[in-house]
């Protein structure tokens, strides 16, 4: 899966590449909220029916392929179509090559992203410029900086404006990367790490527990820019570390709660094509090589076929204390953020596209 989002250092549990799966099973999962088969309220997102390269064709510059862990465009596109309407603002605090932003502007939304590494800032801006050259007259911007400093990074014009955040945390320094074969040198990996391993400002290089603390801080900062009832969509998956399964989705749920967000959904975004009776995995060279070696060692791992999609929502009403945070940088860092729900108010999906 060279083209999917931030791959873990080793695969977590998933389905066999061609293990039979009943269409009825997928439909049953889709219907858990009472949705009809053709409805968009689905818990299983069929986001890999065409290859990642096909999804990106014509919308991304050649330089984009080098990023070590790109979000699958159809995942971002599904979330944007499902939770926003045209003209609304979409935000990605860790935007990489700008996948969330590119898909947003092609759907008629406004977009803003933050990216830590200057190289990928340039690439994401190039992708937005490509959209403009193709006739997409968009309102989209990329800001370079540390997403843990969102409240001081983003202009005040975005306060309380975002209808949706789509993002994914890095899973550590080991990612898919690219492959080259050189005579007498064998197979070589490149573009398989986030920046310099010595850069402790990069969340991918600071260890698992500090990553969670940093991501919680990012989620808390997002509340300043989300409108009441806005959604946060996070793509994540478990991974194995020294043969121990790390349940990152459950940990991200805890991070969201700690940041003052309310979990509302936990979905599945397929990274494999859903055929009539099978899931056909799109495994990268590194995944297939890793799986082969693990099976030879007696550990029955399988190619990854999906990512978890955790969805949070902000409260329906912001308190005065929330608004007062934006008066100045000093007040933004000093005042606590508070949200208050309307009594008896429930998440009803008002912001979802019709």
């Amino acid at each position: 899966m060279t083209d999917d989002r931030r791959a873990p250092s080793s695969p977590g549990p998933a389905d066999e590449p061609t293990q039979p799966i009943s269409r009825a099973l997928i439909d049953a999962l889709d219907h858990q909220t009472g949705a009809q088969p053709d409805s968009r309220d689905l818990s299983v997102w069929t986001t890999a029916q065409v290859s990642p390269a096909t999804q990106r064709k014509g919308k991304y510059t050649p330089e984009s392929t080098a990023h070590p862990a790109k979000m699958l465009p159809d995942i971002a596109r599904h979330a944007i179509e499902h939770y926003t309407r045209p003209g609304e603002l979409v935000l990605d605090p860790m935007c990489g090559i700008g996948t969330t932003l590119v898909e947003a502007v092609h759907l008629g939304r406004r977009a803003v992203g933050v990216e830590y590494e200057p190289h990928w800032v340039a690439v994401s801006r190039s992708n937005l410029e490509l959209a403009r050259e193709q006739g997409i007259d968009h309102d989209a911007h990329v800001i370079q900086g540390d997403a843990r400093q969102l409240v001081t990074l983003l202009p005040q014009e975005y306060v309380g404006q975002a209808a949706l955040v789509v993002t994914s945390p890095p899973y550590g320094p080991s990612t898919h990367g690219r492959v080259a074969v050189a005579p007498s040198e064998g197979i070589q990996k490149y573009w398989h790490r986030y920046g310099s391993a010595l850069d402790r400002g990069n969340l991918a290089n600071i260890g698992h527990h500090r990553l969670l603390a940093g991501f919680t801080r990012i989620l808390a900062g997002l509340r300043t820019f989300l409108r009441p009832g806005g959604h946060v969509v996070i793509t994540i998956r478990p991974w194995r570390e020294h043969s121990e399964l790390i349940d990152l989705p459950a940990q991200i749920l805890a991070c969201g709660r700690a940041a003052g967000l309310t979990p509302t959904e936990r979905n599945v975004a397929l990274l494999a094509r859903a055929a009539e009776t099978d899931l056909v995995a799109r495994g990268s060279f590194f995944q297939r090589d890793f799986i082969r070696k693990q099976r030879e060692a007696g550990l029955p791992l399988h190619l990854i076929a999906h990512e978890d999609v955790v969805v949070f929502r902000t409260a329906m009403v912001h308190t005065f204390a929330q608004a007062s945070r934006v008066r100045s940088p000093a007040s933004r860092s000093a005042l606590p953020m508070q949200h208050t729900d309307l009594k008896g108010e429930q998440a009803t999906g008002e912001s979802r596209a019709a």
Side-chain angles (χ1 to χ4, degrees):
M1 268 176 283
T2 303
D3 296 284
D4 65 352
R5 187 71 167 192
R6 297 169 170 85
S9 54
S10 57
D15 296 301
E16 282 278 358
T18 57
Q19 176 156 340
I21 178 170
S22 169
R23 173 63 65 177
L25 175 59
I26 294 179
D27 291 341
L29 290 169
D30 290 343
H31 285 301
Q32 72 175 20
T33 59
Q36 296 301 313
D38 60 349
S39 170
R40 297 162 68 186
D41 281 321
L42 307 179
S43 62
V44 177
W45 299 3
T46 52
T47 46
Q49 292 303 97
V50 298
S51 70
T54 301
Q55 292 183 31
R56 293 192 179 89
K57 186 176 182 180
K59 293 194 293 185
Y60 297 84
T61 64
E63 293 78 12
S64 302
T65 61
H67 193 279
K70 302 173 288 296
M71 180 179 285
L72 204 61
D74 276 3
I75 294 179
R77 189 175 188 88
H78 179 97
I80 293 163
E81 288 183 316
H82 191 61
Y83 297 106
T84 70
R85 295 187 176 96
E88 293 183 333
L89 179 65
V90 178
L91 167 62
D92 187 344
M94 308 173 80
C95 70
I97 64 168
T99 300
T100 296
L101 315 186
V102 171
E103 298 306 314
V105 300
H106 277 271
L107 291 169
R109 277 67 166 174
R110 297 178 293 132
V112 61
V114 173
E115 170 54 35
Y116 180 77
E117 296 189 45
H119 176 76
W120 302 122
V121 171
V123 172
S124 60
R125 287 173 177 166
S126 295
N127 286 329
L128 290 173
E129 181 58 30
L130 177 61
R132 194 176 296 281
E133 292 172 0
Q134 295 172 341
I136 306 296
D137 185 17
H138 59 74
D139 178 6
H141 305 278
V142 183
I143 298 170
Q144 194 275 322
D146 187 337
R148 289 169 290 186
Q149 309 296 330
L150 275 180
V151 177
T152 54
L153 273 177
L154 291 179
Q156 291 194 16
E157 66 187 270
Y158 295 119
V159 170
Q161 296 300 306
L164 173 67
V165 170
V166 182
T167 197
S168 180
Y171 297 162
S174 181
T175 53
H176 284 304
R178 311 292 290 176
V179 177
V181 180
S184 74
E185 295 183 9
I187 297 174
Q188 304 293 319
K189 291 180 69 172
Y190 62 101
W191 286 115
H192 61 289
R193 292 188 179 275
Y194 292 100
S196 168
L198 300 178
D199 183 0
R200 311 309 289 176
N202 195 318
L203 284 181
N205 298 326
I206 61 175
H208 176 57
H209 293 292
R210 291 182 64 193
L211 166 64
L212 293 177
F215 197 63
T216 300
R217 184 174 176 181
I218 293 170
L219 293 177
L222 288 171
R223 291 173 55 197
T224 296
F225 302 98
L226 281 158
R227 71 182 188 190
H231 290 85
V232 179
V233 173
I234 304 171
T235 65
I236 40 181
R237 70 175 74 147
W239 83 89
R240 290 187 182 274
E241 189 174 276
H242 307 300
S243 298
E244 178 183 356
L245 184 66
I246 307 297
D247 188 1
L248 185 60
Q251 293 171 342
I252 294 300
L253 280 168
C255 291
R257 291 188 182 99
L261 300 171
T262 301
T264 58
E265 301 174 44
R266 184 167 178 175
N267 303 317
V268 166
L270 293 183
L271 303 175
R273 181 171 62 86
E276 189 61 33
T277 59
D278 304 328
L279 282 180
V280 183
R282 303 181 186 278
S284 69
F285 167 85
F286 299 111
Q287 279 193 330
R288 294 182 181 277
D289 183 61
F290 179 86
I291 294 297
R292 178 183 59 80
K293 292 176 180 176
Q294 293 302 306
R295 289 183 173 178
E296 290 175 352
L299 188 61
L301 297 183
H302 309 291
L303 287 172
I304 295 171
H306 76 276
E307 287 189 327
D308 284 40
V309 183
V310 174
V311 182
F312 297 92
R313 203 174 190 196
T314 61
M316 297 301 294
V317 175
H318 286 186
T319 65
F320 176 78
Q322 166 75 6
S324 68
R325 284 178 56 84
V326 304
R327 291 177 177 173
S328 68
S331 66
R332 288 200 295 266
S333 61
L335 291 175
M337 252 186 319
Q338 302 274 339
H339 284 89
T340 301
D341 283 326
L342 288 172
K343 186 176 181 181
E345 186 69 59
Q346 296 181 351
T348 54
E350 296 93 328
S351 66
R352 294 185 181 183

